[in-house]
C-alpha cells in the first residue's frame, strides 16, 4: 500500500472515529461557531428507580431520570435519534421550540405524528431559529412525561452576550412529580371511572424529593455556591398537574428570562411557575461565607376544588467552605443553622397576579417585541371543566355520582384522532381526506362564565380545528369558567410564541378591556396561565405552516379534552410552505 493510500485510509478512520464520538457524546460536540449540527441518541428504556423507599421500573431516556440535557446554540440544527425499546408507544415534544417549517418534529402523538411503536426509530430533525434561553423536552403521549423529561439549554450565538452580567455558573433546576405507582395505571383508572386521578406522592427537584419527605434525606438536590458570585438558575416546571411556588431562604432572584425570551429584569424572593413554563433567574450569593445553609422549597399554587398533593419538595443551598477554614475551626456543615423560606399561601392568587404583571419583554432594538398592532382574526375561547354522561350499565365517580369528568374549549372536548392530523392535512389533496375545520370562534351559547354555572354541564365531543391563512395576525381571549369550579389553566401553544397583552378577573368585556392592553412590551411566552375566574388575552402571527396543538398543561385536563388544534396554511413563497414528511415518520 502506498503512503498516500495509507494516509487516506487513516484520515477516513479518524473521521469516522470523530463522527462516532460526537454521536455518542453530544455534549462534547460544542463547536466554536454557530450553525453546527448536534446529534443525540435517545434510547427509550426501562430503568429501576427508587424514591421514598419505593422502587419501580420507569420509562427513561438512556436510563436517566430526569433525562439528559440537550445543549445547543441559537442557529444550530438538532438531530435526535429516538429508539423505542419499551412496550409503550412513545412520542417526544421539544417544548417551546418554534419548529419553523419543521412541524414533523414537534412531537405530540396523533397531532403531528403517529407514535413511535416498540422497536421503531424516528429521527427528530429541526433548527433553532431566533431563540436562546431555557426550554425542555418531554413525552407527549398519555402520562409518560411524568418520567420522560429533561432540559434544553440554548446558548446565544458565539460573540453574542447575555443582556446581563455573565454568571459564574449555569444550573438547570427542573421540578417534577413522583408517583409511587405507575402513572399509566392512574390515568387509565381515572378515565374508566370518570373521577379525579390519584395525586402524586412527592414533588421533586432534579428528580429528588428532598428531606421533608420520609426516607428521602439522601435524595436531596444540593446547590453548592461560592460567596460573592452570580449564578444563573434555569428553572423548568415539568410537574404533571401543579403550578409551583419556589423560593430560597434569605436570598432573592433577578428574573431575566421567561420561556426562552429575555424580560426586563426584576427582583423577587419567590417565583410562581406553571407546568410547561421556564424562567431564567440570577442568584447573587452573599458577599461572605454565611456560616449557614439554606432550604430551597417548592410547593403548589392551588386554585381548583379537587384533591392535590399538599406537600413540599426541598433542596439545600450550601456555601463552599473557605480554603483555610480548617485552621480557623469553622463549624462543621452538618451543625450549621438551616434557614427556611416563607412561601405564599397555597391559594395566594394575589401573589400570582402581581408576579404575572411584572413580566415584560425587553423591547429593545436588539431584542424587539414584535407585537401585532392590528388583528386579522379574533377568537374568544372559554376553557374549563364539564361532564360527560355516564355510559349505561356503568358506575361513574364524576360529579353528582352519575357523570364523568370532562374538559373543553368552547364546550368542545377534543377527541383524539387515530391518524396524525398533520399527515391528514398534508396529504389532503391526494387522498381527499377532510379535516373538520368548524371549531367555533366563540362559545355557541353565552352565559355568565364566572357566575352561577348553567344546569347542563355536559360538553360536546369532537375533533374540530381552526384554519388560518399564512401570516394571519390573531387575537385570542381565553376565558376561565366556573363550571365545576373556577381554576387556573396553563395553556400551551405549539409552534409559536405569543404576546400576553392583557388579563383580568371576571368576564372579559370586549368594549372596555382592550383599552388596557399592553401593545408595547408585553411578555412573550409559549405557555400562559388563564387566571382563576378570569381571562387572558394573547396575540400571535400565524407565520408557521402546519398543524399546531394548543392544550392545558395540567395533564389531567388534557386527558379530559381541554385541547384543540390550529391549521396554518402554506404561504405563496417556497420558504413559507411545509416540506414533505421525512421517510421514517412513524405510521399508525
Amino acid at each position: 500500500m502506498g503512503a498516500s493510500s495509507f494516509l487516506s485510509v487513516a484520515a477516513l478512520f479518524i473521521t469516522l472515529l470523530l463522527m462516532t464520538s460526537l454521536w455518542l457524546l453530544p455534549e462534547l460536540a460544542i463547536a466554536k461557531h454557530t450553525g453546527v449540527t448536534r446529534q443525540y441518541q435517545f434510547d427509550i428504556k426501562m430503568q429501576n428507580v427508587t424514591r421514598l423507599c419505593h422502587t419501580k421500573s420507569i420509562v427513561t431516556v438512556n436510563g436517566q431520570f430526569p433525562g439528559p440535557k440537550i445543549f445547543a446554540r441559537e442557529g444550530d440544527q438538532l438531530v435526535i435519534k429516538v429508539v423505542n425499546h419499551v412496550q409503550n408507544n412513545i412520542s417526544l415534544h421539544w417544548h417551546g421550540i418554534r419548529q419553523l417549517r419543521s412541524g414533523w418534529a414537534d412531537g405530540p402523538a396523533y397531532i403531528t405524528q403517529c407514535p413511535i411503536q416498540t422497536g421503531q426509530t424516528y429521527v427528530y430533525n429541526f433548527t433553532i431559529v431566533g431563540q436562546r434561553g431555557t426550554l425542555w423536552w418531554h413525552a407527549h403521549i398519555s402520562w409518560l412525561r411524568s418520567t420522560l423529561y429533561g432540559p434544553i439549554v440554548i446558548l446565544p450565538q458565539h460573540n453574542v452576550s447575555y443582556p446581563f452580567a455573565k454568571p459564574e455558573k449555569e444550573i438547570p433546576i427542573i421540578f417534577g412529580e413522583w408517583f409511587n405507582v405507575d402513572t399509566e395505571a392512574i390515568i387509565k383508572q381515572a378515565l374508566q371511572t370518570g373521577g379525579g386521578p390519584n395525586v402524586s406522592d412527592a414533588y421533586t427537584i432534579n428528580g429528588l424529593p428532598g428531606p421533608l419527605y420520609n426516607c428521602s434525606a439522601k435524595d436531596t438536590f444540593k446547590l453548592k455556591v461560592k460567596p460573592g458570585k452570580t449564578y444563573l438558575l434555569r428553572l423548568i416546571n415539568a410537574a404533571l398537574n401543579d403550578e409551583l411556588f419556589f423560593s430560597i431562604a434569605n436570598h432573592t432572584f433577578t428574573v431575566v428570562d421567561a420561556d426562552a425570551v429575555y424580560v426586563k429584569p426584576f427582583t423577587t424572593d419567590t417565583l410562581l411557575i406553571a407546568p410547561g413554563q421556564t424562567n431564567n433567574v440570577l442568584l447573587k450569593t452573599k458577599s461572605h461565607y454565611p456560616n449557614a445553609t439554606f432550604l430551597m422549597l417548592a410547593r403548589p399554587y392551588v386554585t381548583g376544588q379537587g384533591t392535590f398533593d399538599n406537600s413540599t419538595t426541598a433542596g439545600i443551598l450550601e456555601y463552599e467552605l473557605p480554603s483555610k477554614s480548617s485552621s480557623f475551626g469553622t463549624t462543621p456543615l452538618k451543625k450549621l443553622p438551616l434557614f427556611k423560606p416563607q412561601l405564599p399561601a397555597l391559594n395566594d392568587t394575589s401573589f400570582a397576579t402581581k408576579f404575572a404583571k411584572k413580566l415584560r419583554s425587553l423591547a429593545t432594538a436588539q431584542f424587539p417585541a414584535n407585537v401585532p398592532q392590528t388583528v386579522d382574526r379574533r377568537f374568544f375561547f372559554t376553557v374549563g371543566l364539564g361532564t360527560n354522561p355516564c355510559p349505561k350499565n356503568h358506575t361513574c365517580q364524576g360529579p353528582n355520582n352519575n357523570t364523568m369528568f370532562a374538559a373543553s374549549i368552547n364546550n368542545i372536548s377534543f377527541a383524539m384522532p387515530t391518524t396524525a392530523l398533520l399527515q391528514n392535512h398534508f396529504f389532503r389533496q391526494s387522498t381527499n381526506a377532510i379535516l373538520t375545520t368548524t371549531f367555533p370562534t366563540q362559545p355557541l351559547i353565552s352565559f355568565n362564565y364566572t357566575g352561577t354555572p348553567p344546569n347542563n354541564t355536559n360538553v360536546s365531543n369532537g375533533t374540530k380545528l381552526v384554519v388560518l391563512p399564512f401570516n394571519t395576525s390573531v387575537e385570542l381571549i381565553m376565558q376561565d369558567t366556573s363550571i365545576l369550579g373556577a381554576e387556573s389553566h396553563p395553556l400551551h401553544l405549539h409552534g409559536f410564541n405569543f404576546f400576553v397583552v392583557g388579563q383580568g378577573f371576571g368576564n372579559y368585556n370586549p368594549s372596555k378591556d382592550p383599552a388596557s392592553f399592553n401593545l408595547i412590551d408585553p411578555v412573550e411566552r409559549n405557555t400562559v396561565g388563564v387566571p382563576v375566574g378570569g381571562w387572558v388575552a394573547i396575540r400571535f402571527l400565524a407565520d408557521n405552516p402546519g398543524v399546531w396543538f394548543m392544550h392545558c398543561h395540567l395533564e389531567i385536563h388534557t386527558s379530559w379534552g381541554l385541547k384543540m388544534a390550529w391549521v396554518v396554511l402554506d404561504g405563496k413563497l417556497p420558504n413559507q410552505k411545509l416540506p414533505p414528511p421525512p421517510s421514517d415518520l412513524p405510521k399508525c
Side-chain angles (χ1 to χ4, degrees):
M1 180 183 291
S4 60
S5 299
F6 177 83
L7 289 173
S8 62
V9 171
L12 177 62
F13 175 79
I14 292 171
T15 301
L16 291 173
L17 183 63
L18 285 171
M19 290 177 64
T20 304
S21 67
L22 292 183
W23 180 270
L24 295 176
L25 299 172
E27 293 182 14
L28 300 182
I30 304 298
K32 293 184 179 180
H33 56 84
T34 60
V36 303
T37 299
R38 302 180 189 273
Q39 303 190 53
Y40 287 75
Q41 178 151 334
F42 277 20
D43 286 297
I44 310 296
K45 59 201 306 188
M46 303 303 294
Q47 181 70 37
N48 284 341
V49 173
T50 301
R51 298 289 186 271
L52 309 178
C53 280
H54 284 74
T55 300
K56 68 173 185 175
S57 185
I58 65 173
V59 183
T60 69
V61 168
N62 302 343
Q64 300 177 38
F65 173 70
K69 304 178 187 70
I70 290 178
F71 291 92
R73 288 192 182 274
E74 178 186 348
D76 286 350
Q77 180 186 20
L78 286 172
V79 179
I80 305 168
K81 182 180 180 181
V82 178
V83 186
N84 185 8
H85 302 281
V86 303
Q87 295 302 308
N88 307 78
N89 287 344
I90 296 295
S91 72
L92 296 183
H93 170 52
W94 319 96
H95 186 111
I97 299 289
R98 284 289 316 275
Q99 298 292 1
L100 289 166
R101 299 181 63 240
S102 57
W104 305 108
D106 192 42
Y110 302 105
I111 304 298
T112 60
Q113 67 167 93
C114 297
I116 308 167
Q117 299 177 31
T118 306
Q120 290 186 344
T121 297
Y122 181 46
V123 178
Y124 292 90
N125 190 334
F126 55 91
T127 300
I128 298 171
V129 180
Q131 294 182 278
R132 79 294 298 170
T134 302
L135 296 172
W136 62 301
W137 60 265
H138 61 81
H140 214 302
I141 182 169
S142 191
W143 277 25
L144 290 178
R145 78 172 177 89
S146 64
T147 61
L148 278 176
Y149 61 81
I152 302 176
V153 174
I154 307 172
L155 303 175
Q157 293 179 344
H158 280 287
N159 301 319
V160 177
S161 301
Y162 292 129
F164 46 81
K166 184 179 179 180
E168 171 82 5
K169 191 176 181 181
E170 303 181 9
I171 303 101
I173 293 180
I174 189 163
F175 305 106
E177 286 184 270
W178 172 263
F179 296 78
N180 285 333
V181 299
D182 180 17
T183 52
E184 292 302 280
I186 290 175
I187 184 56
K188 181 179 179 181
Q189 179 187 42
L191 294 179
Q192 285 177 343
T193 65
N198 292 335
V199 301
S200 57
D201 295 284
Y203 300 105
T204 58
I205 298 176
N206 289 348
L208 302 172
L212 302 185
Y213 295 101
N214 290 333
C215 195
S216 297
K218 293 182 179 179
D219 292 329
T220 299
F221 172 70
K222 294 183 179 180
L223 176 59
K224 295 186 178 182
V225 298
K226 298 177 182 178
K229 302 292 184 180
T230 298
Y231 294 82
L232 179 67
L233 307 184
R234 296 177 175 271
L235 307 177
I236 303 163
N237 188 351
L240 278 188
N241 291 308
D242 291 278
E243 300 180 65
L244 296 171
F245 295 117
F246 175 65
S247 184
I248 300 179
N250 295 8
H251 289 73
T252 59
F253 307 113
T254 301
V255 181
V256 294
D257 184 297
D259 291 356
V261 181
Y262 296 130
V263 298
K264 289 182 170 66
F266 66 93
T267 58
T268 181
D269 57 11
T270 304
L271 292 103
L272 175 62
I273 184 167
Q277 291 183 337
T278 66
N279 277 120
N280 281 1
V281 302
L282 298 176
L283 172 69
K284 181 68 180 294
T285 60
K286 298 182 181 300
S287 59
H288 59 280
Y289 182 74
N291 269 329
T293 54
F294 307 90
L295 282 176
M296 54 178 75
L297 301 182
R299 76 175 184 198
Y301 165 54
V302 182
T303 59
Q305 298 182 0
T307 57
F308 64 96
D309 179 358
N310 185 12
S311 66
T312 304
T313 182
I316 296 177
L317 180 71
E318 294 180 353
Y319 279 73
E320 294 185 11
L321 290 169
S323 57
K324 298 181 179 179
S325 60
S326 58
S327 61
F328 289 96
T330 302
T331 305
L333 194 60
K334 291 183 179 179
K335 295 184 179 180
L336 291 176
L338 178 63
F339 291 98
K340 182 178 180 180
Q342 286 293 115
L343 289 172
L346 292 169
N347 60 350
D348 195 342
T349 296
S350 174
F351 176 91
T353 304
K354 292 175 183 176
F355 183 81
K357 290 184 176 180
K358 291 178 183 177
L359 292 164
R360 292 177 178 267
S361 292
L362 273 185
T364 62
Q366 185 178 6
F367 303 108
N370 296 317
V371 188
Q373 298 296 308
T374 59
V375 175
D376 298 322
R377 296 283 306 276
R378 285 185 164 85
F379 298 87
F380 182 83
F381 288 178
T382 55
V383 297
L385 303 185
T387 58
N388 275 320
C390 188
K392 292 183 179 179
N393 302 319
H394 192 79
T395 301
C396 293
Q397 298 176 2
N400 306 319
N401 297 319
N402 195 34
T403 61
M404 306 182 77
F405 270 111
S408 67
I409 300 177
N410 277 355
N411 207 48
I412 297 175
S413 188
F414 190 85
M416 294 297 287
T418 55
T419 302
L421 294 175
L422 186 59
Q423 291 171 266
N424 193 323
H425 165 65
F426 186 83
F427 293 111
R428 68 194 184 283
Q429 293 180 342
S430 58
T431 64
N432 294 319
I434 299 175
L435 293 174
T436 304
T437 57
T438 56
F439 192 93
T441 61
Q442 60 186 22
L444 298 179
I445 300 174
S446 61
F447 59 97
N448 183 1
Y449 307 113
T450 55
T452 302
N455 293 328
N456 183 359
T457 61
N458 286 345
V459 301
S460 60
N461 300 273
T463 309
K464 299 182 179 181
L465 302 92
V466 173
V467 176
L468 298 171
F470 185 82
N471 256 3
T472 299
S473 58
V474 175
E475 181 179 280
L476 169 62
I477 312 298
M478 290 183 284
Q479 171 75 60
D480 184 33
T481 68
S482 57
I483 300 174
L484 303 185
E487 188 168 358
S488 174
H489 299 277
L491 266 291
H492 172 49
L493 175 60
H494 290 228
F496 299 93
N497 282 349
F498 51 76
F499 292 95
V500 184
V501 297
Q503 68 175 52
F505 291 100
N507 296 335
Y508 173 73
N509 187 328
S511 63
K512 294 182 179 180
D513 289 326
S516 63
F517 283 1
N518 176 9
L519 304 181
I520 306 300
D521 63 348
V523 68
E524 182 181 352
R525 331 198 52 142
N526 62 62
T527 305
V528 66
V530 179
V532 53
W535 55 270
V536 66
I538 67 172
R539 287 188 181 186
F540 66 95
L541 184 66
D543 58 353
N544 195 8
V547 177
W548 304 107
F549 207 24
M550 190 177 80
H551 60 95
C552 183
H553 228 275
L554 301 178
E555 206 63 39
I556 185 57
H557 292 177
T558 294
S559 299
W560 285 338
L562 209 165
K563 48 196 174 184
M564 56 85 64
W566 306 81
V567 179
V568 179
L569 303 177
D570 284 348
K572 295 179 180 179
L573 302 177
N575 65 352
Q576 299 172 342
K577 299 181 185 299
L578 179 71
S583 59
D584 64 338
L585 187 71
K587 296 178 174 60
C588 291

